[in-house]
């Protein structure tokens, strides 16, 4: 499970570097995210632009990651593909996450 | 959105004497992933609209992974997947030789009412299946589970 984390001021941006979060990878995704967010302060955003497939197990893992953040922080999702957006809409989980049309450019892109 | 719950077909669904694609799949998550890749690469599905290909992959993933996690919870087995082209869409038949569905019927797939601090991490699968299929049917036949359904080419959701 390739997850690329970039710490921006007040925001941990995690790019999911593979094309699916599914039943075969859900536990690994959640475990790796747990390691990444443990030391992080502030907001946490997942860049989902590479993820073309999310099944119910993958969705459960994403919800699980949000629960790891505790009651005061919401998991933010950015750049959803059409298939992933549809899964969130059909399960009404689109209201649970903060959803952004695009991820912010990370520091490598600045200036 | 709220999915209207379509009535299930009577038990038995349909048989598929001459499927266009027939796969035997080990009941592991990785074998399911590989099978989905085969289905999505097959000429039977490459002509579907992109959003219906996405729906097909999701529905098959949910049905197959449900078998891996529940029907074969106590030991591995084989899953038989058959797909056939029909006017206006695809018919799918999935058979396994694991435990029967609890109560002898498919789960209703209703989303749980949720509290802000009690988000569900599961229970989405049958809701998605019911949203995205037609003619959904389940039967227990000779010690096996048979689930059949159709994917319409034209459905928007």
């Amino acid at each position: 499970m390739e997850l690329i984390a970039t710490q921006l001021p007040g925001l941990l941006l995690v790019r999911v570097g593979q094309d699916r979060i599914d039943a075969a990878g859900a536990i690994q995704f959640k475990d790796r995210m747990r390691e990444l967010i443990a030391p992080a302060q502030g907001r946490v955003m997942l860049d989902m632009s590479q993820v073309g497939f999310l099944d119910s197990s993958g969705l459960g893992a994403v919800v699980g990651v949000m629960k790891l953040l505790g009651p005061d922080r919401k998991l933010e999702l950015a750049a959803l593909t059409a298939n992933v957006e549809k899964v969130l809409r059909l399960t009404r989980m689109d209201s649970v996450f903060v959803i952004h049309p695009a991820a912010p450019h990370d520091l490598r892109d600045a200036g | 959105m709220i999915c209207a719950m379509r009535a299930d077909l009577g038990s038995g669904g349909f048989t598929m004497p001459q499927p266009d694609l027939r796969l035997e799949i080990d009941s592991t998550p990785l074998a399911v992933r590989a099978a989905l890749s085969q289905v999505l690469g097959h000429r039977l599905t490459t002509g579907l609209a992109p959003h219906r290909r996405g729906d097909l992959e999701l529905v098959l993933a949910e049905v197959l992974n449900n078998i891996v996690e529940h029907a074969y919870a106590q030991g591995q087995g084989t899953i038989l997947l058959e797909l056939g082209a029909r006017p206006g869409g695809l018919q799918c038949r999935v058979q396994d030789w694991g435990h029967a569905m609890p109560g002898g019927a498919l789960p209703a797939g209703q989303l749980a009412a949720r509290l802000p601090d009690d988000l569900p991490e599961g229970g989405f699968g049958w809701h998605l299946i019911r949203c995205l299929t037609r003619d959904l049917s389940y039967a227990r036949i000779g010690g096996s589970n048979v689930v059949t359904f159709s994917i319409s080419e034209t459905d928007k959701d």
Side-chain angles (χ1 to χ4, degrees), chain A residues 23-104:
Chain A
I27 292 172
Q28 204 188 359
F29 168 79
K30 189 174 166 184
D31 287 348
R32 183 85 183 95
M33 282 300 296
R34 189 198 313 269
E35 294 169 10
L36 289 172
I37 64 179
Q41 302 287 320
R43 299 159 59 202
V44 176
M45 187 186 298
L46 276 180
D47 178 347
M48 299 282 283
S49 58
Q50 301 294 309
V51 181
F53 183 76
L54 178 77
D55 65 13
S56 66
S57 301
L59 174 59
V62 175
V63 172
V65 169
M66 178 152 118
K67 287 173 147 182
L68 292 173
L69 291 174
D72 300 326
R73 291 198 285 176
K74 276 194 169 187
L75 183 62
E76 303 181 34
L77 305 179
L80 302 181
T81 62
N83 285 341
V84 171
E85 186 277 331
K86 187 170 186 174
V87 171
L88 291 177
R89 178 165 49 84
L90 291 176
T91 57
R92 291 176 230 156
M93 286 289 127
D94 50 353
S95 62
V96 167
F97 303 101
V98 177
I99 295 176
H100 303 275

Side-chain angles (χ1 to χ4, degrees), chain A residues 18 20 22-25 30 52-57 59-61 63-67 83 86-87 89-96, chain B residues 1-3 29-30 33 36 50-52 54-55 57-58 61-62 65 69 111 114 118-121 124-125 127-128 131-132 156-157:
Chain A
Q18 60 185 57
R20 55 202 299 126
D22 63 8
K30 189 174 166 184
F53 183 76
L54 178 77
D55 65 13
S56 66
S57 301
L59 174 59
V63 172
V65 169
M66 178 152 118
K67 287 173 147 182
N83 285 341
K86 187 170 186 174
V87 171
R89 178 165 49 84
L90 291 176
T91 57
R92 291 176 230 156
M93 286 289 127
D94 50 353
S95 62
V96 167
Chain B
M1 79 163 261
I2 297 168
C3 283
L30 283 173
R33 187 194 274 178
L36 295 176
H51 75 279
R52 292 309 281 166
D55 294 347
E57 183 172 16
L58 181 59
E62 298 302 336
N65 284 317
E69 289 167 30
L111 295 178
R114 54 166 206 267
D118 185 27
L119 288 168
E121 291 181 48
F124 306 116
H127 174 76
L128 290 168
C131 282
L132 299 173
K156 287 205 169 62
D157 277 313

